[in-house]
Amino acid sequence: MKKSDQKKYWKTNLKYLTVLLTIWFIVSYGCGIIFVDELNTIRMGGFKLGFWFAQQGSIYVFTILIFVYIRLMNKLDKKYNLDS
Amino acid sequence: MDLQTWIWLLVGITFALYIGIAIWSRAGSTKEFYVAGGGVSPLANGLATAADWMSAASFISMAGLISFNGYDGSVYLMGWTGGYVLLALLLAPYLRKFGKFTVPDFIGDRYYSNVARTVAVFCALLVSFTYVAGQMRGVGLVFSRFLEVDINTGVIIGMIIVLFYAVLGGMKGITYTQVAQYCVLIFAFMVPAIFISIQITGNPIPQLGFGGQDANGIYLLDKLDGLHRDLGFAEYTSGSKSKLDVFFITAALMVGTAGLPHVIVRFFTVKKVSDARKSAGWALLFIMILYTTAPAIAVFARTNMIETVNNQEYKNMPDWFTTWEETGLLSFNDKNNDGKIQYLADTSKNELIIDKDIMVLANPEIAGLPNWVIALVAAGALAAALSTAAGLLLVISASVSHDLIKKMIKPDISEKGELVAARLSAVVAVCVAGYFGINPPDFVAATVALAFGLAAASFFPAIILGIFTKKMNKEGAISGMIIGILMMLFYMLKFKFDWFGGGTKEDWWFGISPEGFGTVAMIINFIVSIVISKFTPDPPKEVQEIVANIRIPSGAGEATH
């Protein structure tokens, strides 16, 4: 693998990481902790929304984030022929 | 069939299964012993990681903790799952590419220093021993309550089982028993939850059920908030911890999870880098099933419990009440002599003391579920405790036989000799764990929090900086790890054990509890490492090349010495 390709590959990876970890931070620390009181004024059936994020929503999003990362990286590996 | 027969039957069948798997998957080489030969499929590894990770604390204690703390219990839910995102994105793929057997292996090689390796071994042993003692205690608790044997006999039976498959099979045996244990524990956790969800809300999915309505059309969470207000507790959905503390505790648990050696080593057992990512995804999916059900169980159990006992005649209490009273985990003191139970937040008037740990175990009895469901919960709790204990014992034995003996004391040891050493250290580790299970130090609960704090304060920054910066050198990493651990130890000893003058809640720095201090110690570790590395020589060229190399997934090859 060429040095320049290595750099590009790593840069794209870092870009994915930044985006996914930002979402990770928002759903847990943002919706579940910092803005929990504001979100609790909104209701979703029997749940207050902030409470739901803290005890349910954040966990679902975490799982989805990992699977999105797996997909993105598998595609990226393929693009640079690193999927052997 | 009566309850005792059901329990012996289910526990017997599951134990026979674990032993059968152990005999089938004996380890023949060090590679099989440390990393199961390196060819585990991502799905199997995901199942094994989930069982490895979910301990007696997740199975027995967590729903109870949430049940008593309401919103504040969210720190465990987010903390113990969010760490997997960090693992999958920031650690697992690169550590797999690096291709070694243990976490101290990575630290020692990346920081080209046996001092770094020794610090890492010390942390790995400290974290794992504090953790494993709690597991053996959980095994003893389940045996004494459900199988009516002495708690010490229970611990010894558990020790023999773990000894059998961990010593014989190493990582290979552990991996496949953990797969079986996950199936047992998740089934045991879900069946009562589904039953109770249908009973209370008519919805078979507990995750939706606890947001649903009871028979009178009142939302369950509103009802519970109301009950809490009436009894003087903080509202269930609001909690009482400060926002800052909730933030720091969640972060410490997340980062601690990502830094726990027994979780990290599971990612060394797969064939290639993309499999390490996939394993993390599967693991969190399997963990998610239990972790999103736990808060539902917490709400059902809390509502059921308050409605069954509060303001009811003591003499009309159901059988389970007396059985748990005998264990001492439930106690009633009729302060106003009216023959009724008053359950209140005000400790001077409250007449009922309930240990958090009984909520999950007693839940099926409180809800009046059939005997086989109660027996299933006992088998599930044992599966959770044993699977985690085995994973931890492997880390301990690998730290001794591989990191200490092979890498430092006697590098010319033969493959066979190392395998013998690994097995012997596993035996010693089981005995030490059993000793602590029988004579639990008073501080088990406190030290489990310490284990997370330590992992967060030591391993996490060293590994992250080792992967994401080429210039991080041994001077920076070692001083960061040492200062991180010392800060964490100091804070825990001061506020949990009253050393260094002790202190109360008011004296906490910035209002951060010892449980949340791991986050502070981690940040300090990062800062110290970066600052020191700026003033000391860059790492050698070869090391910088290793870093460039672990960022590229192809050619991961096989895990080697």
Side-chain angles (χ1 to χ4, degrees), chain B residues 91-109:
Chain B
L91 302 168
Y94 313 106
L95 291 176
R96 174 60 196 88
K97 175 67 194 293
F98 189 69
K100 291 293 164 87
F101 286 162
T102 66
V103 174
D105 248 353
F106 173 79
I107 304 268
D109 287 5

Side-chain angles (χ1 to χ4, degrees), chain A residues 13-30 61-62 65-66 68-69 72, chain B residues 82-91 94 254 460 464 468:
Chain A
N13 182 20
L14 291 181
K15 196 179 78 195
Y16 293 160
L17 292 181
T18 316
V19 174
L20 295 175
L21 287 176
T22 309
I23 301 173
W24 165 84
F25 186 86
I26 292 171
V27 291
S28 48
Y29 297 95
V61 178
F62 293 156
L65 286 177
I66 299 185
V68 169
Y69 183 65
L72 288 172
Chain B
Y84 276 85
V85 179
L86 299 175
L87 262 171
L89 271 55
L90 303 177
L91 302 168
Y94 313 106
M254 278 194 191
F460 186 77
I464 291 288
F468 289 88

Side-chain angles (χ1 to χ4, degrees), chain B residues 206-467:
Chain B
Q207 284 85 344
L208 301 175
F210 85 114
Q213 297 159 326
D214 69 358
N216 304 322
I218 302 167
Y219 281 121
L220 209 55
L221 285 164
D222 292 342
K223 184 162 125 185
L224 195 52
D225 276 344
L227 285 171
H228 267 221
R229 272 195 302 272
D230 295 345
L231 304 177
F233 294 100
E235 250 185 28
Y236 188 84
T237 53
S238 307
S240 54
K241 278 195 169 78
S242 84
K243 211 165 252 193
L244 186 76
D245 203 24
V246 169
F247 190 102
F248 274 79
I249 296 175
T250 307
L253 294 180
M254 278 194 191
V255 176
T257 299
L260 283 177
H262 72 286
V263 177
I264 294 177
V265 291
R266 288 240 46 101
F267 297 99
F268 294 129
T269 64
V270 293
K271 211 176 246 137
K272 48 187 189 189
V273 172
S274 61
D275 284 353
R277 294 194 285 254
K278 269 186 221 156
S279 315
W282 285 122
L284 186 57
L285 182 74
F286 296 130
I287 292 168
M288 180 190 91
I289 299 173
L290 189 143
Y291 270 63
T292 53
T293 307
I297 291 185
V299 169
F300 300 147
R302 183 84 180 154
T303 320
N304 256 349
M305 198 273 295
I306 294 177
E307 292 196 320
T308 313
V309 301
N310 191 38
N311 266 329
Q312 303 295 321
E313 297 279 345
Y314 175 65
K315 59 178 195 308
N316 294 342
M317 278 299 113
D319 288 344
W320 61 263
F321 196 93
T322 9
T323 347
W324 282 104
E325 264 188 314
E326 281 160 20
T327 61
L329 296 174
L330 185 80
S331 63
F332 169 62
N333 171 11
D334 198 2
K335 287 177 186 159
N336 59 1
N337 291 317
D338 65 350
K340 288 182 179 175
I341 301 168
Q342 269 89 33
Y343 180 58
L344 297 162
D346 180 353
T347 44
S348 64
K349 290 194 190 124
N350 177 39
E351 301 178 341
L352 183 69
I353 294 169
I354 313 164
D355 190 287
K356 300 182 285 297
D357 283 351
I358 73 176
M359 294 310 278
V360 165
L361 299 177
N363 200 22
E365 294 170 282
I366 299 180
L369 297 183
N371 282 343
W372 66 269
V373 178
I374 302 170
L376 194 61
V377 170
L382 287 172
L386 290 176
S387 57
T388 306
L392 290 160
L393 289 169
L394 192 93
V395 167
I396 296 171
S397 85
S399 295
V400 174
S401 64
H402 186 72
D403 299 320
L404 282 181
I405 299 180
K406 167 85 186 174
K407 289 286 174 162
M408 291 195 277
I409 299 170
K410 198 170 184 292
D412 58 343
I413 192 168
S414 70
E415 158 93 13
K416 233 179 163 176
E418 194 185 340
L419 195 57
V420 172
R423 290 205 157 110
L424 282 180
S425 30
V427 173
V428 174
V430 174
C431 295
V432 175
Y435 174 81
F436 284 121
I438 292 170
N439 308 297
D442 302 331
F443 46 86
V444 163
T447 44
V448 167
L450 175 68
F452 279 91
L454 277 177
S458 57
F459 288 130
F460 186 77
I463 300 175
I464 291 288
L465 292 169
I467 296 166

Side-chain angles (χ1 to χ4, degrees), chain A:
Chain A
M1 194 179 186
K2 281 196 309 240
K3 265 255 144 62
S4 61
D5 274 356
Q6 281 192 16
K7 260 207 176 121
K8 262 195 261 166
Y9 174 86
W10 186 243
K11 262 208 166 136
T12 320
N13 182 20
L14 291 181
K15 196 179 78 195
Y16 293 160
L17 292 181
T18 316
V19 174
L20 295 175
L21 287 176
T22 309
I23 301 173
W24 165 84
F25 186 86
I26 292 171
V27 291
S28 48
Y29 297 95
C31 302
I33 300 174
I34 302 170
F35 299 111
V36 70
D37 299 322
E38 288 76 5
L39 287 174
N40 274 345
T41 57
I42 305 169
R43 292 192 61 124
M44 199 174 64
F47 290 112
K48 292 176 183 165
L49 196 58
F51 178 82
W52 182 82
F53 263 107
Q55 301 214 334
Q56 294 278 306
S58 56
I59 305 174
Y60 298 127
V61 178
F62 293 156
T63 313
I64 295 168
L65 286 177
I66 299 185
F67 280 99
V68 169
Y69 183 65
I70 295 171
R71 261 197 84 106
L72 288 172
M73 289 310 280
N74 283 350
K75 268 195 190 154
L76 190 67
D77 288 353
K78 213 172 214 151
K79 189 175 156 196
Y80 288 93
N81 281 322
L82 295 168
D83 54 344
S84 56

Side-chain angles (χ1 to χ4, degrees), chain B residues 3 18 23 66 77 141-142 164 166 194 409:
Chain B
L3 181 59
Y18 307 150
I23 294 172
I66 302 165
L77 292 167
L141 178 75
V142 174
F164 199 81
I194 293 169
I409 299 170

